[in-house]
């Protein structure tokens, strides 16, 4: 459940510094333009993820592993966690199903809740990428710090890219806990089949519908 809460909360990399757009060097694109270009290339993605969560002192609190699939053109994604406990988080572009195998429970959310609750949506949904709502800084060519203009708690994303594409998303909540999402074994596609984002309801589970 911790992964889902962080995805919905999405206060990423909240530091003591204030993020603001940095001026571009002559002849180079602005951070906003460079980030927009990077995100424009992100359509379909299939990757292995490792999530590491640290407290404010750098002590590792949690580690989880699994697979992440994304089709940003249809606002669809799925996260299949295999360690330490099996779970599924599946969105078909309208509804979000979260299955906790150990509890035999499925919680259903409206996609609008995720859209309202998390600026992480800029990664998931091409249609909602309105970068005018954010300030963007690029301390290096492949790293971007993205913050909502209206947030007052200093929360900001750190997204890193390599020659293949998006590789790391780092976060820190206002309490100082830091989460690092590392993507490996990445395969980028123009699209991912919609069947990948169909949630199959297991038999005998308890359903908590919060839509």
């Amino acid at each position: 459940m911790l992964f889902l809460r962080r995805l919905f909360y999405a206060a990423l990399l909240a530091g003591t510094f204030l993020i603001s757009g940095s001026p571009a060097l002559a002849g180079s694109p602005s951070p906003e333009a460079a980030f927009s270009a990077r995100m424009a290339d992100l359509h379909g993605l299939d990757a292995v993820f490792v999530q590491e969560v640290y407290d404010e002192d750098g002590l590792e609190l949690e580690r989880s592993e699994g697979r992440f699939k994304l089709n940003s053109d249809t606002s669809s994604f799925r996260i299949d966690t295999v360690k330490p406990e099996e779970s599924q988080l599946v969105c078909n572009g309208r509804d979000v199903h979260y299955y906790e195998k150990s509890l035999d429970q499925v919680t259903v959310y409206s996609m609008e809740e995720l859209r309202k609750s998390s600026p992480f949506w800029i990664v998931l949904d091409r249609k909602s990428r309105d970068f005018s709502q954010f300030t963007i800084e690029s301390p290096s060519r492949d790293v971007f710090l993205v913050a909502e203009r209206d947030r007052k708690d200093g929360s900001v994303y750190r997204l890193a890219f390599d020659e293949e594409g998006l590789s790391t998303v780092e976060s820190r909540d206002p309490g100082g806990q830091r989460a690092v999402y590392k993507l490996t074994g990445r395969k980028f596609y123009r699209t991912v089949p919609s069947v990948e984002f169909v949630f199959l309801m297991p038999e005998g589970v308890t359903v908590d519908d919060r839509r």
Side-chain angles (χ1 to χ4, degrees):
M1 193 63 181
L2 187 57
F3 184 92
L4 181 64
R5 290 202 302 270
R6 282 196 170 81
L7 183 62
F8 271 58
Y9 186 72
L12 296 182
L13 202 70
T16 57
F17 51 87
L18 178 64
I19 300 300
S20 60
S22 58
L25 297 176
S28 65
S30 67
E32 292 83 359
F35 182 68
S36 181
R38 292 277 192 161
M39 297 304 292
D41 291 334
L42 184 59
H43 295 269
L45 171 64
D46 183 352
V48 173
F49 78 83
V50 173
Q51 174 193 278
E52 298 165 333
V53 181
Y54 302 89
D55 67 13
E56 59 273 20
D57 297 318
L59 178 66
E60 184 173 310
L61 301 176
E62 178 182 315
R63 179 186 175 93
S64 58
E65 302 176 16
R67 192 162 210 91
F68 174 66
K69 295 183 180 182
L70 164 72
N71 187 344
S72 64
D73 291 334
T74 60
S75 309
S76 304
F77 68 90
R78 73 176 298 135
I79 300 168
D80 294 282
T81 301
V82 296
K83 295 179 180 180
E85 296 183 349
E86 291 186 41
S87 66
Q88 291 181 335
L89 182 64
V90 183
C91 173
N92 61 7
R94 299 180 305 276
D95 304 309
V96 181
H97 290 80
Y98 180 56
Y99 172 43
E100 297 173 274
K101 186 174 182 179
S102 63
L103 300 179
D104 283 330
Q105 177 174 306
V106 174
T107 306
V108 188
Y109 300 89
S110 166
M111 191 73 267
E112 288 304 313
E113 285 302 310
L114 180 58
R115 193 187 301 269
K116 294 174 184 177
S117 303
S118 172
F120 196 53
W121 195 250
I122 60 175
V123 177
L124 300 176
D125 184 7
R126 290 177 59 80
K127 294 176 291 187
S128 296
R129 292 177 188 166
D130 180 6
F131 297 128
S132 66
Q133 302 176 33
F134 300 88
T135 57
I136 300 172
E137 185 177 86
S138 183
S140 67
R141 178 175 176 271
D142 297 319
V143 176
F144 297 89
L145 306 177
V146 184
E148 281 190 288
R149 293 185 185 277
D150 295 335
R151 289 188 75 98
K152 305 302 181 184
D153 58 7
S155 301
V156 57
Y157 286 104
R158 181 182 185 275
L159 294 92
F161 296 78
D162 59 18
E163 63 277 2
E164 294 183 21
L166 182 66
S167 61
T168 306
V169 178
E170 188 172 340
S171 71
R172 183 177 298 165
D173 66 28
Q177 287 192 1
R178 184 168 59 93
V180 181
Y181 307 87
K182 300 176 182 178
L183 303 176
T184 60
R186 292 160 295 161
K187 297 179 181 179
F188 294 91
Y189 302 98
R190 182 61 182 82
T191 187
V192 176
S194 59
V195 68
E196 296 283 357
F197 309 105
V198 175
F199 179 74
L200 302 177
M201 187 71 71
E203 294 184 3
V205 299
T206 301
V207 178
D208 180 8
D209 194 334
R210 302 187 181 183
R211 289 172 293 183

